[in-house]
Amino acid sequence: MKVSFYLYIALFAAALSACEDVVTIPLDEGDKKYVIDAYIESEGSPQATISQTQAYNNQASPLRIENAIVSITDAKTPSITVQLDKQTSPGVYTTTSPFAGTQGHVYELRVQIGTEVFTARDTLKRITPIDAIKVEKNANTDTRLSIKIDQQEPAGLGDQYRWIWYANGQTQLHPGFYATADDMLVDGNYISNLTIFNAEYSYGSFEYEIPHGAAVRIKVLSLSRPVFLYYQQLQMGSYGQNMFSPPPANAPGNIQGGALGFFRASAVSWSPETIYP
């Protein structure tokens, strides 16, 4: 009886598989969008990276846009406009000569792609220097690290920051991790041993050990409030999802005209260099 029962089940399963129909569900790819990631800083040259989104099920890299007309204007009186007419790689635009931003100035981005025009503006906020940097073993493990700094926070609410760390001149930041903070709780204080990166809680940013003898530095950027909130949205989109979260959506940018992305103006300060360990 057992043999007959198992044979019946096998024949029944075979019959079901023989009756299967392949159903193809058409997916709405949605409108393609231009994505603009641009900045001007208080050192070096401005840069804009322009691409276009792909279909959801397209695994190719975003399409880079090579024929855009890009400019940045310092909105002071009289205004100064520079063209980002040099491409360092497909879709990456910069100036032929350095053009650094100035604290307190407002900057305007203009991007023309064919007949479409996209604009954005941001204010370059103040910054204070980093006085000291420490690279230490994490208190709870010997294989991961913490990076701490000493820095004066200037008096007056409204300052926001982003920190990026470098080893031997190369950024070590995980693409989905943004070390940002505002001055809501520390306004006007001198901050000692401020933990910028804690290996245990940095979402995989420290999956390897810094090589012994590596030169470590921190770059800090000033952020306007809209840019700070944009980075927070990106952070939540990368790591804040759980089974109860709403479906992920594009972070709201400041590009006008229908493109995605953000234009930021930032003052820059570098920490002293330290050799690890």
Side-chain angles (χ1 to χ4, degrees):
M1 292 298 294
K2 287 185 178 180
V3 174
S4 299
F5 175 75
Y6 291 136
L7 179 60
Y8 171 76
I9 292 296
L11 291 173
F12 181 69
L16 285 178
S17 62
C19 296
E20 286 181 353
D21 291 325
V22 177
V23 178
T24 302
I25 301 175
L27 297 176
D28 185 0
E29 294 185 355
D31 296 331
K32 292 183 178 180
K33 294 279 189 178
Y34 292 114
V35 180
I36 300 172
D37 179 14
Y39 64 82
I40 182 170
E41 297 178 348
S42 60
E43 63 179 36
S45 297
Q47 180 175 293
T49 302
I50 306 174
S51 59
Q52 190 174 44
T53 59
Q54 301 277 25
Y56 177 78
N57 57 352
N58 190 334
Q59 300 300 312
S61 299
L63 176 65
R64 292 293 180 90
I65 305 301
E66 298 188 53
N67 297 313
I69 301 173
V70 186
S71 65
I72 291 179
T73 298
D74 184 335
K76 68 178 183 178
T77 303
S79 63
I80 299 175
T81 298
V82 295
Q83 300 295 323
L84 279 66
D85 51 8
K86 176 184 177 182
Q87 290 195 57
T88 57
S89 60
V92 181
Y93 300 79
T94 188
T95 56
T96 53
S97 301
F99 182 76
T102 302
Q103 293 187 36
H105 287 208
V106 176
Y107 292 89
E108 299 174 346
L109 171 75
R110 186 181 189 274
V111 175
Q112 181 173 346
I113 305 173
T115 60
E116 296 185 81
V117 175
F118 308 97
T119 60
R121 60 189 287 140
D122 195 29
T123 302
L124 198 148
K125 305 278 286 183
R126 64 183 177 178
I127 206 165
T128 54
I130 298 175
D131 295 329
I133 177 176
K134 301 174 185 176
V135 182
E136 302 175 346
K137 290 288 187 181
N138 189 278
N140 298 321
T141 176
D142 288 334
T143 61
R144 298 195 174 191
L145 303 171
S146 294
I147 299 180
K148 301 178 181 180
I149 62 170
D150 296 342
Q151 184 174 4
Q152 175 67 50
E153 209 292 313
L157 287 171
D159 296 296
Q160 295 83 208
Y161 310 96
R162 180 187 178 192
W163 294 271
I164 306 171
W165 73 285
Y166 291 76
N168 293 331
Q170 299 295 317
T171 179
Q172 306 297 311
L173 185 63
H174 187 281
F177 179 70
Y178 298 89
T180 58
D182 62 20
D183 63 350
M184 191 66 66
L185 301 178
V186 296
D187 179 47
N189 293 326
Y190 190 85
I191 312 299
S192 297
N193 290 322
L194 174 64
T195 300
I196 300 302
F197 300 102
N198 187 327
E200 284 194 286
Y201 307 108
S202 59
Y203 307 102
S205 296
F206 290 78
E207 295 177 350
Y208 53 88
E209 182 73 71
I210 297 178
H212 289 280
V216 178
R217 296 185 78 189
I218 292 287
K219 178 182 181 181
V220 57
L221 305 172
S222 65
L223 305 178
S224 66
R225 190 69 182 176
V227 179
F228 172 71
L229 296 176
Y230 176 73
Y231 282 143
Q232 284 199 323
Q233 288 293 318
L234 292 180
Q235 181 82 52
M236 292 175 62
S238 297
Y239 296 108
Q241 299 294 319
N242 57 52
M243 63 183 297
F244 302 107
S245 299
N250 294 317
N254 66 348
I255 308 293
Q256 303 297 312
L260 304 176
F262 221 95
F263 167 61
R264 67 168 172 84
S266 297
V268 175
S269 181
W270 289 88
S271 75
E273 185 176 86
T274 186
I275 303 299
Y276 175 77

